[in-house]
Amino acid sequence: MSFLSPFFNHLNIKDFIDILIVAILIYQLLLIVRGTKAAQMIVGLGFLFGLFWLGITFKLYSLNWVLAHFFDSFFIIVVVLFQDQFRSALASVGTRRNILTVFSKDVHDFEIDEIVEACGALSREKIGALIVIERTHGLLNYINTGTRLDSRIHSDIIYSIFESSSSLHDGAIILQNSKLTAAGCFLPLSKNFDIERHLGTRHRAALGLTEVTDALVITCSEESGKINLCVEGVFYLCKTEKELGQYLRHIWSNESLDSALRPIKTKDIVR
Ligand SMILES: Nc1ncnc2c1ncn2[C@@H]1O[C@H](COP(=O)(O)OP(=O)(O)OP(=O)(O)O)[C@@H](O)[C@H]1O
């Protein structure tokens, strides 16, 4: 590591602050694009950078010429490719989880009670519902498919959205950072061919989203009234509202799970 010391010797406090700000901006950008199509584009750009590096190392002139011209306009290309993400991120500064609130809890006990109460009522009335709770992966791609609400999380509001007379009852609602951000959102269907054949599109959408993001999805079946929590492509049946509450509190506040409940298999439960 001694080869790095000349580099550090020339750094002053201003440079450290500069590097820290850029690191936070890159981290925030990654949070926004994780789980979205933009993440795949970043992998594609990384691949082109790799090719460029190979071209320079092995002096592949034609490849260098093409890629050098491509990277000349790199910033314009990035802005064009990620225009949706930039637009949403700039518009949502201050309203979504940002630099200042990144360490705060997303869903509080109060909101969990409201979600659980709504699911209980929907289940008793056999009203179908699809409720998404955002964790660290940005869901703006999916929020943009629905109707923006930005309301507080309240059981009556959730219940009335899914009533058949509501114009927003089709699709999913997305809860983000203690807010009911959008309703009528379209989620990706699971591409898993091993899914039980009887599962309909509501449940396939819950699986699909949790396969590509770390969001939690609660489904309430219109047919059976059963409530399921879906985490990382796995369903956890909640026989009662109390069980749903236990699972949610287990995930958010690390409350211990009743031994009768199936343990959640997740790599990184976010608290
Ligand atoms: N891709 C999707 N994104 C969001 N919501 C969806 C999606 N696909 C279906 N839905 C919702 O699911 C409803 C259809 O549910 P369907 O009966 O096909 O599924 P299911 O899994 O059998 O659920 P249920 O047990 O409630 O009948 C739609 O009316 C719509 O509200």
Side-chain angles (χ1 to χ4, degrees):
M1 292 299 269
S2 59
F3 67 95
L4 285 177
S5 42
F7 172 71
F8 283 114
N9 288 343
H10 287 96
L11 285 183
N12 57 32
I13 185 79
K14 207 176 77 189
D15 297 322
F16 274 112
I17 293 173
D18 189 18
I19 292 170
L20 184 70
I21 293 172
V22 172
I24 290 174
L25 284 178
I26 292 175
Y27 176 71
Q28 289 297 313
L29 185 76
L30 290 177
L31 279 187
I32 291 165
V33 302
R34 268 174 79 184
T36 67
K37 263 191 263 145
Q40 290 150 15
M41 287 195 254
I42 285 184
V43 174
L45 283 176
F47 176 73
L48 288 181
F49 264 119
L51 266 187
F52 194 39
W53 177 80
L54 279 179
I56 290 172
T57 312
F58 296 104
K59 298 196 170 54
L60 307 175
Y61 295 112
S62 323
L63 182 67
N64 278 357
W65 185 84
V66 172
L67 290 178
H69 278 82
F70 176 79
F71 286 120
D72 269 352
S73 324
F74 182 70
F75 282 104
I76 296 173
I77 290 169
V78 166
V79 171
V80 171
L81 282 180
F82 302 114
Q83 53 179 307
D84 287 344
Q85 281 73 24
F86 279 124
R87 200 182 300 130
S88 305
L90 289 175
S92 64
V93 169
T95 58
R96 81 184 295 283
R97 180 178 29 223
N98 56 33
I99 296 164
L100 299 176
T101 57
V102 75
F103 298 113
S104 71
K105 282 189 181 178
D106 301 301
V107 176
H108 305 279
D109 263 5
F110 167 73
E111 277 93 27
I112 289 181
D113 290 343
E114 296 294 329
I115 297 166
V116 169
E117 198 180 320
C119 290
L122 290 164
S123 158
R124 280 190 293 279
E125 300 293 327
K126 291 202 177 164
I127 297 175
L130 196 54
I131 301 170
V132 177
I133 307 175
E134 185 189 71
R135 287 160 82 193
T136 62
H137 290 190
L139 300 179
L140 288 167
N141 277 1
Y142 309 107
I143 287 168
N144 289 339
T145 63
T147 303
R148 200 82 194 205
L149 296 177
D150 286 325
S151 86
R152 58 186 281 242
I153 297 174
H154 193 287
S155 58
D156 290 342
I157 299 178
I158 298 177
Y159 181 89
S160 53
I161 286 174
F162 289 110
E163 273 185 315
S164 57
S165 56
S166 153
S167 55
L168 294 174
H169 79 274
D170 246 349
I173 60 168
I174 299 185
L175 312 181
Q176 188 192 40
N177 210 13
S178 290
K179 279 216 155 163
L180 198 171
T181 307
C185 302
F186 187 78
L187 309 182
L189 297 181
S190 173
K191 296 198 170 61
N192 183 352
F193 293 111
D194 300 328
I195 299 177
E196 292 174 48
R197 292 183 65 186
H198 75 270
L199 281 183
T201 48
R202 194 190 312 280
H203 292 84
R204 282 169 195 268
L207 283 175
L209 185 71
T210 60
E211 281 163 8
V212 293
T213 72
D214 66 354
L216 303 180
V217 181
I218 303 167
T219 57
C220 181
S221 168
E222 191 175 3
E223 208 177 300
S224 62
K226 281 183 185 156
I227 300 172
N228 269 288
L229 174 67
C230 194
V231 187
E232 291 180 8
V234 179
F235 280 120
Y236 297 86
L237 176 67
C238 307
K239 288 192 228 77
T240 59
E241 295 171 47
K242 206 172 139 221
E243 289 190 0
L244 173 65
Q246 268 205 24
Y247 272 131
L248 293 178
R249 283 198 186 82
H250 173 63
I251 291 168
W252 260 280
S253 345
N254 201 19
E255 259 185 43
S256 55
L257 208 56
D258 212 89
S259 56
L261 290 182
R262 183 168 162 212
I264 294 208
K265 279 195 286 170
T266 169
K267 299 187 282 300
D268 57 344
I269 287 183
V270 176
R271 286 168 186 123

